[in-house]
């Protein structure tokens, strides 16, 4: 997900621009596996030959999966055409769910150093991330003798209890759970027929995704899975710049092509990505993505940002048609998440990473953020958000027709940090009392009111100022209007300006206590005379029954 502790892929945009000059070394002779320090990396052809050779044992399985995928992509209600794919509609379960849990857990959790981009930055010997390299060498040993591969045996997951995780997520109020099936590091957390670098064959020696899938569904929650493999095309590129194990052909199936990430500013000032992506890599990406669907039948599939790279567009359309068609054949309503402009609008569910929408969006959308403002994977010494922040974000997102996906990063041993656990339980307690205003709701005529301005867009989640007692968010369900007050008024009186005298109110109930609230309709809004402040998270939901129930309809 994020680039180190800086918050996410938006950082990668600026980072890529700086790399354009730094990695203008594609031209040049190929180097041997024991390349001396400072030598140029192999050229694209040499890299590709090594990577293809390393993956040759999986050729037959890959061909079989691709054949089935491409056949099914043309046999169903949709075909791999972006116009056809606009028939996509988010299923009702997703529109009702509102809250899910994301899980970043993998080999990078062993280092527990500033998050899930550790495997990339540990090969950077200079620049702003050089501390990763110094940490790696000081902690685990010199390169090329020791590399990322050597962390895998340390990833034992001895305390991983999928049933306990699922119970915790259900107690947190989640309606769907999305573990990362494969991150940029290329290590599959599932039982893959296309790689030996998997959690089944190494490390935990367990099908982490399979075990979680069963536990999550046993708790009545929907299963989502995420693939971040697209970025694996270049993720280990820094290991190409000196004598590291990334250059050893024996490990090419783990480290991937590791091509240089190349971008530049176009004539119009917009960033243009020129990174090399081969047909073989696109086939591999499509096969791995389809394998996940074939074996685990996720209700939601999440792709990280680089599937929007121009070379991926055809393969992405093939996957989308396959995903939708196979689900339709089973009568399964599925969600396909994408970011920014990675897919044509209306062909999937748009996701805003660590950000919010400015207003109500016509189609369901999603934001994902983490319990930590700095990382997605577990990091020692990490900081954490407060339950108030999470609940305020949830209320804002739901009021605008969105779902919130909240990430936790378990430790390498499979335990969930107590700070993260406390946040989940606090959010769950709030949802037990106030979930009527969240689950199954739809937007009102306006999302809310109040002085606090949300900073909309990607990577903005820490920029919104704390909410006040004058900030409200509105939802509707079953003819009732819900107002969520994001603070408690000091004088015990709340005033909702959006509910004017023309909107006749029959009753108001504070959901947390179930007690009626005295109210008065004034020319400037609905005044609530509040009882004693309830305990818990500082957001307070009111059920407002209107004389004309149609006034609460979305």
């Amino acid at each position: 997900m994020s680039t180190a502790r800086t918050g996410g892929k938006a950082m990668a945009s600026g980072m890529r621009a700086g790399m354009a000059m730094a990695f203008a070394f594609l031209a040049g002779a190929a180097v041997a596996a024991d390349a001396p320090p400072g030598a140029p990396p192999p050229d694209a052809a040499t890299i590709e030959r090594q990577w293809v050779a390393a993956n040759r044992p999986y050729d037959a399985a890959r061909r079989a999966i691709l054949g089935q995928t491409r056949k099914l992509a043309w046999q169903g209600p949709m075909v791999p055409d972006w116009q056809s794919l606009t028939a996509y509609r988010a299923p009702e379960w997703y529109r009702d769910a509102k809250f899910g849990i994301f899980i970043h857990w993998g080999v990078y959790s062993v280092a527990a150093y500033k998050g899930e981009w550790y495997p990339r930055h540990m090969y950077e010997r200079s620049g702003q991330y050089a501390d990763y390299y110094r940490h790696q060498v000081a902690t685990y040993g010199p390169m090329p003798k020791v590399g990322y591969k050597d962390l895998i045996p340390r990833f034992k997951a001895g305390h991983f209890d999928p049933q306990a995780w699922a119970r915790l997520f259900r107690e947190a109020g989640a309606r769907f759970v999305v573990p990362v099936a494969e991150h940029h590091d290329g290590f599959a957390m599932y039982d893959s027929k296309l790689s030996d670098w998997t959690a089944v064959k190494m490390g935990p020696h367990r099908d982490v995704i399979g075990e979680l899938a069963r536990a999550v569904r046993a708790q009545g929650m929907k299963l989502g899975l995420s693939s971040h493999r697209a970025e694996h095309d270049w993720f280990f590129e820094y290991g190409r710049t000196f004598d590291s194990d990334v250059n050893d052909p024996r490990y090419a199936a783990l480290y991937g092509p590791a091509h240089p990430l190349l971008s530049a500013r176009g004539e119009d000032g917009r960033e243009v990505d020129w990174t090399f992506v081969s047909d073989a890599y696109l086939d591999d990406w499509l096969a791995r993505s389809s394998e996940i669907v074939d074996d685990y039948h996720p209700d939601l599939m999440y792709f990280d940002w680089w599937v929007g790279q121009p070379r991926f567009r055809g393969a992405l359309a093939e996957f989308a048609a396959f995903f939708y068609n196979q689900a339709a054949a089973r009568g399964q309503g599925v969600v396909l998440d994408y970011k920014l402009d990675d897919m044509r609008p209306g062909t999937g569910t748009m996701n805003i990473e660590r950000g919010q929408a400015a207003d109500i969006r016509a189609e369901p959308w999603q934001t994902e953020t983490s319990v930590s403002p700095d990382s997605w994977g577990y990091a020692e010494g990490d900081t954490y958000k407060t339950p108030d922040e999470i609940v305020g974000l949830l209320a804002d997102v739901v009021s605008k027709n969105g779902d919130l996906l909240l990430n936790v990063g378990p430790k390498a041993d499979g335990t969930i940090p107590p700070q993260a656990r406390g946040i989940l339980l606090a959010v769950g307690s709030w949802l037990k009392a106030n979930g009527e205003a969240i689950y199954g709701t739809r937007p009102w005529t306006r999302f809310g009111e109040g002085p606090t301005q949300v900073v909309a867009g990607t990577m903005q989640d820490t920029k919104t100022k704390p909410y006040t007692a004058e900030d409200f968010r509105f939802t509707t369900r079953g003819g009732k209007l819900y107002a969520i007050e994001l603070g408690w008024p000091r004088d015990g009186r709340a005033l909702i300006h959006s509910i004017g005298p023309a909107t006749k109110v029959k009753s108001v109930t504070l959901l947390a206590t179930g007690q009626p609230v005295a109210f008065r309709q004034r020319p400037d809004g609905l005044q609530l005379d509040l009882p004693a402040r309830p305990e818990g998270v500082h957001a307070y939901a009111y059920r407002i029954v209107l004389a004309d129930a149609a006034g609460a309809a979305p």
Side-chain angles (χ1 to χ4, degrees):
M1 292 287 297
S2 64
T3 43
R5 300 171 68 88
T6 50
K9 268 94 49 201
M11 286 297 299
S13 176
M15 186 172 67
R16 288 198 303 273
M19 290 176 189
M21 183 177 296
F23 298 114
F25 44 47
L26 264 175
V31 297
D34 58 348
D43 60 22
T46 301
I47 289 173
E48 206 57 33
R49 282 196 300 270
Q50 290 178 352
W51 181 78
V52 168
N55 284 279
R56 191 156 290 129
Y58 323 117
D59 284 356
R62 187 184 308 106
R63 283 194 297 269
I65 293 171
L66 287 173
Q68 184 63 23
T69 297
R70 287 169 171 151
K71 178 181 178 181
L72 192 54
W74 291 92
Q75 292 182 350
M78 300 191 198
V79 298
D81 169 76
W82 291 107
Q83 180 60 39
S84 170
L85 295 171
T86 60
Y88 168 83
R89 296 292 182 272
E92 287 300 297
W93 74 256
Y94 181 77
R95 298 191 71 194
D96 292 342
K98 305 304 181 186
F99 182 52
I101 299 294
F102 211 2
I103 311 168
H104 276 67
W105 190 46
V107 178
Y108 44 82
S109 306
V110 171
Y113 188 81
K114 300 187 178 182
E116 71 295 336
W117 276 53
Y118 182 84
R120 174 175 173 81
H121 296 316
M122 62 174 270
Y123 290 98
E124 287 190 71
R125 297 178 298 161
S126 62
Q128 64 176 317
Y129 300 119
D131 58 312
Y132 288 75
Y133 173 79
R134 293 192 293 268
H135 175 84
Q136 170 68 19
V137 171
T139 306
Y140 302 107
M143 297 186 186
K145 183 178 179 181
V146 179
Y148 186 63
K149 68 182 184 304
D150 299 290
L151 299 186
I152 296 173
R154 297 170 181 260
F155 183 45
K156 298 183 184 298
H159 295 292
F160 170 49
D161 184 342
Q163 288 77 27
W165 282 20
R167 287 193 297 269
L168 173 62
F169 301 151
R170 182 68 187 185
E171 195 170 353
R175 293 293 183 262
F176 59 105
V177 178
V178 187
V180 171
E182 183 179 340
H183 205 256
H184 313 324
D185 63 348
F187 188 80
M189 297 293 285
Y190 60 97
D191 190 9
S192 176
K193 297 179 287 293
L194 302 175
S195 175
D196 287 331
W197 299 93
T198 76
V200 174
K201 299 168 186 174
M202 299 179 181
H205 292 280
R206 298 172 66 174
D207 182 0
V208 170
I209 294 302
E211 292 185 39
L212 269 174
R214 290 187 291 274
V216 163
R217 284 171 164 153
Q219 288 292 324
M221 296 178 288
K222 297 289 187 178
L223 174 72
L225 293 174
S226 80
S227 170
H228 307 239
R229 183 168 177 79
E231 293 92 328
H232 189 61
D233 182 65
W234 47 262
F235 196 62
F236 285 99
E237 62 173 321
Y238 292 116
R240 295 289 190 193
T241 65
F242 68 104
D243 187 14
S244 82
D245 61 338
V246 173
N247 290 304
D248 190 330
R250 291 178 297 174
Y251 309 122
L254 170 64
Y255 292 127
H259 289 296
L261 182 63
L262 297 175
S263 66
R265 296 291 173 185
E267 292 292 339
D268 61 357
R270 299 183 67 181
E271 186 177 339
V272 182
D273 194 312
W274 300 105
T275 305
F276 179 78
V277 184
S278 68
D279 289 343
Y281 191 78
L282 291 171
D283 281 349
D284 179 79
W285 174 86
L286 178 58
R288 284 179 179 248
S289 302
S290 299
E291 180 186 43
I292 292 171
V293 171
D294 282 335
D295 291 350
Y296 302 99
H297 303 308
D299 303 290
L300 178 151
M301 193 74 179
Y302 170 111
F303 284 133
D304 207 8
W305 61 290
W306 215 59
V307 294
Q309 207 268 0
R311 283 279 287 154
F312 275 82
R313 185 161 290 173
L316 181 58
E318 285 185 306
F319 175 83
F322 158 76
F323 184 48
Y324 296 148
N325 289 347
Q326 59 82 35
R330 289 198 304 274
Q332 180 186 22
V334 294
V335 176
L336 179 56
D337 287 336
Y338 71 93
K339 296 182 179 178
L340 302 176
D341 299 316
D342 290 352
M343 292 175 64
R344 179 179 175 180
T347 60
T349 294
M350 196 269 289
N351 178 82
I352 304 175
E353 182 179 347
R354 287 192 184 271
Q356 290 156 267
D359 206 337
I360 297 170
R361 295 184 65 91
E363 296 300 322
W365 60 283
Q366 179 177 285
T367 186
E368 94 270 18
T369 191
S370 183
V371 293
S372 167
D374 302 315
S375 62
W376 298 86
Y378 173 70
E380 291 182 359
D382 215 346
T383 58
Y384 290 86
K385 298 176 180 177
T386 67
D388 283 11
E389 290 177 90
I390 301 301
V391 168
L393 174 62
L394 176 63
D396 182 74
V397 168
V398 171
S399 74
K400 297 170 181 174
N401 204 26
D403 283 26
L404 171 62
L405 187 58
L406 179 65
N407 177 77
V408 295
K411 296 181 179 181
D413 66 0
T415 58
I416 293 176
Q419 302 95 323
R421 183 181 180 86
I423 291 169
L424 294 182
L425 291 175
V427 173
S429 178
W430 187 87
L431 282 166
K432 283 186 179 73
N434 300 282
E436 182 182 330
I438 297 293
Y439 302 123
T441 62
R442 299 293 182 265
W444 193 39
T445 54
R446 59 187 305 177
F447 72 86
E449 67 178 53
T452 305
Q453 297 298 308
V454 168
V455 181
T458 297
M459 305 304 175
Q460 306 295 323
D461 67 338
T462 61
K463 295 182 180 179
T464 295
K465 295 180 180 179
Y467 291 111
T468 72
E470 297 177 66
D471 292 300
F472 290 87
R473 293 296 181 265
F474 305 118
T475 61
T476 65
R477 188 178 75 169
K480 300 179 180 67
L481 172 64
Y482 298 91
I484 303 173
E485 188 175 16
L486 300 177
W488 191 263
R490 293 182 179 180
D491 61 1
R493 291 183 177 180
L495 183 61
I496 307 176
H497 296 286
S498 299
I499 305 176
T503 303
K504 301 303 180 183
V505 175
K506 290 177 62 177
S507 66
V508 179
T509 303
L510 179 60
L511 291 184
T513 65
Q515 297 300 310
V517 173
F519 65 92
R520 182 161 60 95
Q521 294 201 258
R522 298 173 13 180
D524 56 347
L526 177 67
Q527 178 183 304
L528 307 181
D529 297 321
L530 303 176
R533 171 175 158 174
E535 296 181 359
V537 175
H538 302 163
Y540 310 95
Y542 307 100
R543 180 198 303 122
I544 302 172
V545 177
L546 305 178
D548 178 11

